[in-house]
Amino acid sequence: MLTFYFAPGSCALASLIALEESGLAYEPRRLILANGDQRQPDYLAINPKGRVPALVTDRGVLTENIAILAYIAQSVPAAKLAPLDDPFEFAEMQSFNSYIASTVHVNHSHKARGARWTDDAAAIETMKAKVPQTMAESFALIEDKMLKGPWVMGDEYTVADGYLFTMAKWLPGDNVDLDRFPKVKAHYARMLERPAVKKALAVEEG
Ligand SMILES: N[C@@H](CCC(=O)N[C@@H](CS)C(=O)NCC(=O)O)C(=O)O
């Protein structure tokens, strides 16, 4: 049995959606980041990074959305959550997921986590102020060049869709209007119709 550690409102939603799409049995464990649950010794023993998500498997703990998403997709080929038989397409999907993890998510983190990069209070404010611009620039790129439609990879739904949905959900809080990106907005609405997404959002709510 898998155990999945997540926090409401976090990037862990991407992996939570994938778990629900896969049909894998898992036990959800909810952390509250604002309470510092992720820095408690019992959680650090599971994930020393002090971050969510973490997926406990019978072979060990997996962290990082990109790894967890690929693991879920490969564990349940019948769920068709990734182009498993095509190395190029699989790499394209991972390229999308890597852009989300290494650029979009990092843009967003400058709003509330500036202290990771500087102790200078003025610099933290400057970083915060830049978030609407960097998020909008990333989403313009996704809208114009990356989201093939109707799903990220084209006709086939993949784990990348839940990751895009998770980032798009953050846009209002980052002061970016989703209406600026009609393809992303339509994708977001399409995602909300999926039973697995509804279930993941309900699990997140607790
Ligand atoms: N690259 C990691 C990022 C994980 C991450 O930063 N998670 C955030 C939530 S979105 C977190 O746990 N933050 C808690 C903290 O910084 O204390 C992934 O994609 O899994």
Side-chain angles (χ1 to χ4, degrees), residues 128-142:
K128 216 181 270 185
K130 187 101 175 155
V131 171
Q133 181 196 332
T134 55
M135 285 298 271
E137 284 170 359
S138 286
F139 269 84
L141 189 70
I142 291 169

Side-chain angles (χ1 to χ4, degrees), residues 10-11 33 38-39 51-53 64-65 105 113 116 163:
S10 78
C11 62
L33 298 183
Q38 72 277 27
R39 289 187 288 274
R51 306 273 184 98
V52 290
E64 303 294 332
N65 275 297
H105 188 171
R113 305 285 185 198
R116 282 182 194 161
Y163 212 178

